[in-house]
Amino acid sequence: EPEVTQTPSHQVTQMGQEVILRCVPISNHLYFYWYRQILGQKVEFLVSFYNNEISEKSEIFDDQFSVERPDGSNFTLKIRSTKLEDSAMYFCASSEPDYGYTFGSGTRLTVV
Amino acid sequence: GESVGLHLPTLSVQEGDNSIINCAYSNSASDYFIWYKQESGKGPQFIIDIRSNMDKRQGQRVTVLLNKTVKHLSLQIAATQPGDSAVYFCADTGRRALTFGSGTRLQVQP
């Protein structure tokens, strides 16, 4: 069964540093997403991406965040100048236009 | 606003019993709903979905019921097994972004 692959599985970074979280969506999917889940809380939408541009973003997704599809397979989330409160699980997902949302296993980001 | 340190409701069932997990949504424009299962340290795993033009959909051991009048979803799991122990989330979408509910922790007692 096709999978969404995320790397690394765990990232520890110092406050103020930049991190890049990587994702390989399912190959025939057209929509890509990032979500995050702070420990003990619900999964929250960050951003969706279609046709090489952001199609929707939440209020969480401020100027500290950016996304990119640098080639035909990868989808990245960059967090500039990380803060302690950015510590969370970050999930990448991909979907076809109207169905098939599939999530990756996540990257646990720990900011120290 | 959102609550910090959300306390998940818990449903405890005996192995072999049927489980019913409920979810309310607020967006009348939502037209697609998904139930996800999340095990500790893992990403949400798709269980079953339903569109707003349906009120019931069945999968393998699972059934989702949708009541648009009261904006309510339920997930029924037949013959619950220990491997069903997880947190269950419903999610809805009117556009692309999924809005997740707060989740229910299902505990299956042997």
Side-chain angles (χ1 to χ4, degrees):
Chain A
E1 189 169 325
E3 289 184 339
V4 173
T5 305
Q6 289 186 244
T7 55
S9 57
H10 192 186
Q11 174 91 45
V12 181
T13 189
Q14 291 212 323
M15 192 168 52
Q17 295 296 305
E18 174 183 286
V19 294
I20 297 176
L21 309 183
R22 302 181 190 279
C23 170
V24 179
I26 292 174
S27 60
N28 61 337
H29 283 183
L30 301 178
Y31 292 86
F32 314 115
Y33 314 84
W34 283 101
Y35 289 77
R36 80 171 184 190
Q37 185 178 32
I38 295 171
L39 184 64
Q41 299 189 23
K42 63 171 96 171
V43 179
E44 301 173 290
F45 168 74
L46 293 178
V47 65
S48 61
F49 192 85
Y50 170 73
N51 200 26
N52 285 320
E53 60 182 22
I54 290 173
S55 53
E56 191 178 353
K57 61 182 181 179
S58 72
E59 59 187 25
I60 302 170
F61 193 88
D62 59 20
D63 292 343
Q64 182 195 10
F65 295 90
S66 62
V67 290
E68 193 177 34
R69 188 153 164 82
D71 53 42
S73 60
N74 290 285
F75 179 52
T76 62
L77 174 70
K78 181 189 290 185
I79 309 174
R80 287 181 281 275
S81 190
T82 49
K83 306 188 286 280
L84 294 176
E85 54 265 39
D86 294 327
S87 294
M89 284 289 289
Y90 287 82
F91 294 107
C92 175
S94 67
S95 77
E96 301 197 48
D98 290 314
Y99 63 95
Y101 276 92
T102 303
F103 283 80
S105 296
T107 293
R108 180 175 299 282
L109 177 65
T110 303
V111 183
V112 297
Chain B
E2 296 289 333
S3 300
V4 175
L6 211 58
H7 177 69
L8 296 178
T10 300
L11 175 66
S12 187
V13 300
Q14 290 293 124
E15 182 179 355
D17 286 352
N18 296 333
S19 304
I20 299 176
I21 300 171
N22 296 301
C23 176
Y25 64 95
S26 58
N27 185 359
S28 300
S30 294
D31 57 6
Y32 181 51
F33 305 87
I34 310 174
W35 277 100
Y36 285 97
K37 169 185 179 182
Q38 188 177 27
E39 295 171 293
S40 182
K42 296 184 179 180
Q45 178 188 349
F46 175 92
I47 303 173
I48 191 168
D49 59 1
I50 189 168
R51 297 201 174 276
S52 58
N53 60 352
M54 305 170 69
D55 52 23
K56 180 179 180 179
R57 189 160 187 231
Q58 288 185 289
Q60 186 178 12
R61 279 201 309 119
V62 294
T63 301
V64 54
L65 300 178
L66 173 62
N67 185 331
K68 295 181 288 294
T69 303
V70 295
K71 299 196 192 79
H72 183 267
L73 275 168
S74 68
L75 176 71
Q76 301 176 5
I77 305 173
T80 314
Q81 302 168 359
D84 295 327
S85 293
V87 177
Y88 289 80
F89 294 94
C90 68
D92 67 281
T93 178
R95 293 192 291 177
R96 296 291 168 209
L98 294 176
T99 302
F100 280 80
S102 53
T104 296
R105 186 179 303 282
L106 177 65
Q107 295 178 336
V108 182
Q109 309 297 331

